[in-house]
Amino acid sequence: MLPLRRCPWRLSLLTITLASMALPAMAAIDRPALEQAAQRIGDLPRTHTLLIAVDGETLVARGWRGHSPDDITNIKSLSKTLISALVGAAIARDVIQGVDQPIAELLGERVPRDADPRVHDIKIGHLLSMQAGLERTSGANYGGWVASDDWVGNALSRPFVADPGGRMLYSTGNSHLLSAALTDASGRDTLTLMREWLGAPLGIEIPPWTRDPQGIYFGGNEMGLTPRALLKIGELYRQKGMYDGERVLPASWIARSWQPRTRSHFNQDDYGYGWFITQLADTPVYYGWGYGGQLLFVVPEHDATLVMTSDPTPPSNGSDYLNRVKAAVADAIEAID
């Protein structure tokens, strides 16, 4: 057989073949239907921006009500999804031993002396999946918690209302304990870790955000990122921890994060490590959710990632509003199918 460089027709055939291999996913997209679904999302009263990418190509990049996908936005509890990614990066670097490491080992003297002894049974994995068992710091308890002079101590001093590893108790305090653990285990603050382990390899800017009275960066709220930065986070997970040819997170961490471990009574969806798990348009979907409608959806079956940001000010209408968003996102998924 002649070398390929001496056979132009072979090169052309190879080019056509490779191109045809890439066509089916994009050719299956119903562009008018996708645009209608995007507009439906934009018509929701809180929507600020929407990004939809398929196989790494951004097909929709829209802003409403004076907002742009390049604007920094408060992603609220979607921050918990990034904290989960940071824990995975810390485990890969042996900064944290693993999800079974007790949180008390990492926090040391931050654990109040009068805390319930069961605090020592709480593991990293319990915090990631919202199964610590401690009374929640979210909801009606949130204001008093963030007004306290020691967020870590306050969270750990709360009474147990379930056993560690038991039912889901969604609590921002859990994610904040992870931020404190990352800080103590690494000797560097969470912002520095976030910039080095996620920001630099993804090429995204991560501005400083709120700290607690001890200087620990808020581990579950108030982070500011652009929608385009969030899209890169979603693409990282869609590509099983790879980004631009570089390994950023272990593929095993993505799989563990998307494994159902408990169920939310707020939206009836399963929950893994910082990710909700559901089905939309008969398709498995993984998503991070922040107050008011800050959302990151990853749909591996269709090589799709969707980012939505919204008005973060009260009232958010909670799960009712989320259901309206999910119905519109289901339409977008059907257009991609």
Side-chain angles (χ1 to χ4, degrees):
M1 180 180 293
L2 292 174
L4 187 59
R5 58 186 172 85
R6 295 184 182 178
C7 302
W9 64 270
R10 291 183 185 273
L11 181 59
S12 299
L13 180 60
L14 178 61
T15 302
I16 293 171
T17 302
L18 291 174
S20 66
M21 289 172 63
L23 283 176
M26 300 303 292
I29 298 172
D30 185 335
R31 299 298 182 108
L34 183 62
E35 178 57 32
Q36 289 177 6
Q39 189 56 51
R40 182 179 172 189
I41 293 172
D43 288 342
L44 292 169
R46 307 182 65 85
T47 305
H48 284 176
T49 66
L50 175 68
L51 290 169
I52 301 177
V54 178
D55 197 25
E57 179 181 346
T58 302
L59 303 182
V60 174
R62 300 277 300 278
W64 290 269
R65 302 168 181 88
H67 296 273
S68 162
D70 297 309
D71 294 340
I72 294 175
T73 188
N74 185 338
I75 66 172
K76 296 295 186 178
S77 284
L78 185 50
S79 307
K80 295 175 174 64
T81 303
L82 273 74
I83 290 292
S84 173
L86 207 59
V87 171
I91 292 173
R93 290 167 170 79
D94 294 322
V95 173
I96 291 175
Q97 293 176 11
V99 294
D100 292 327
Q101 185 172 12
I103 187 67
E105 285 186 5
L106 296 168
L107 295 181
E109 294 183 359
R110 293 187 189 273
V111 179
R113 293 181 180 180
D114 59 352
D116 189 308
R118 284 180 291 175
V119 161
H120 295 270
D121 296 330
I122 299 174
K123 300 176 181 179
I124 293 292
H126 295 151
L127 298 172
L128 288 165
S129 60
M130 299 294 170
Q131 294 176 285
L134 293 165
E135 178 186 71
R136 300 170 63 227
T137 63
S138 295
N141 298 327
Y142 182 81
W145 175 55
V146 295
S148 71
D149 59 6
D150 182 355
W151 296 5
V152 171
N154 184 291
L156 290 171
S157 296
R158 290 177 177 269
F160 278 85
V161 294
D163 292 328
R167 62 189 174 94
M168 182 179 184
L169 292 161
Y170 187 90
S171 178
T172 301
N174 291 344
S175 297
H176 191 64
L177 293 176
L178 291 172
S179 182
L182 286 161
T183 299
D184 289 353
S186 68
R188 293 182 291 167
D189 62 54
T190 308
L191 172 62
T192 299
L193 299 179
M194 195 77 73
R195 285 175 168 173
E196 180 180 327
W197 295 349
L198 294 178
L202 299 184
I204 60 177
E205 292 187 11
I206 301 176
W209 70 98
T210 305
R211 296 194 196 203
D212 74 6
Q214 283 67 47
I216 303 296
Y217 278 95
F218 205 164
N221 202 352
E222 303 297 329
M223 284 188 66
L225 290 176
T226 68
R228 293 193 191 276
L230 288 171
L231 188 71
K232 290 186 176 184
I233 296 291
E235 284 292 286
L236 171 65
Y237 272 75
R238 183 185 69 81
Q239 297 176 99
K240 300 180 180 179
M242 296 290 293
Y243 191 85
D244 198 23
E246 180 181 349
R247 171 64 62 189
V248 180
L249 290 174
S252 59
W253 183 253
I254 310 300
R256 296 185 81 169
S257 299
W258 286 351
Q259 179 182 341
R261 299 175 188 281
T262 186
R263 180 178 289 265
S264 169
H265 75 272
F266 291 111
N267 57 27
Q268 307 308 312
D269 287 338
D270 289 331
Y271 195 73
Y273 286 162
W275 290 83
F276 290 93
I277 302 155
T278 191
Q279 290 255 339
L280 297 177
D282 297 321
T283 305
V285 174
Y286 308 90
Y287 70 97
W289 177 26
Y291 184 88
Q294 324 314 317
L295 290 150
L296 170 60
F297 294 91
V298 181
V299 192
E301 190 170 301
H302 297 313
D303 296 321
T305 303
L306 297 87
V307 173
M308 174 183 176
T309 63
S310 308
D311 182 356
T313 57
S316 75
N317 300 317
S319 295
D320 289 340
Y321 191 75
L322 176 64
N323 288 336
R324 295 175 64 186
V325 172
K326 287 161 73 173
V329 170
D331 288 345
I333 292 172
E334 289 180 344
I336 295 169
D337 187 3

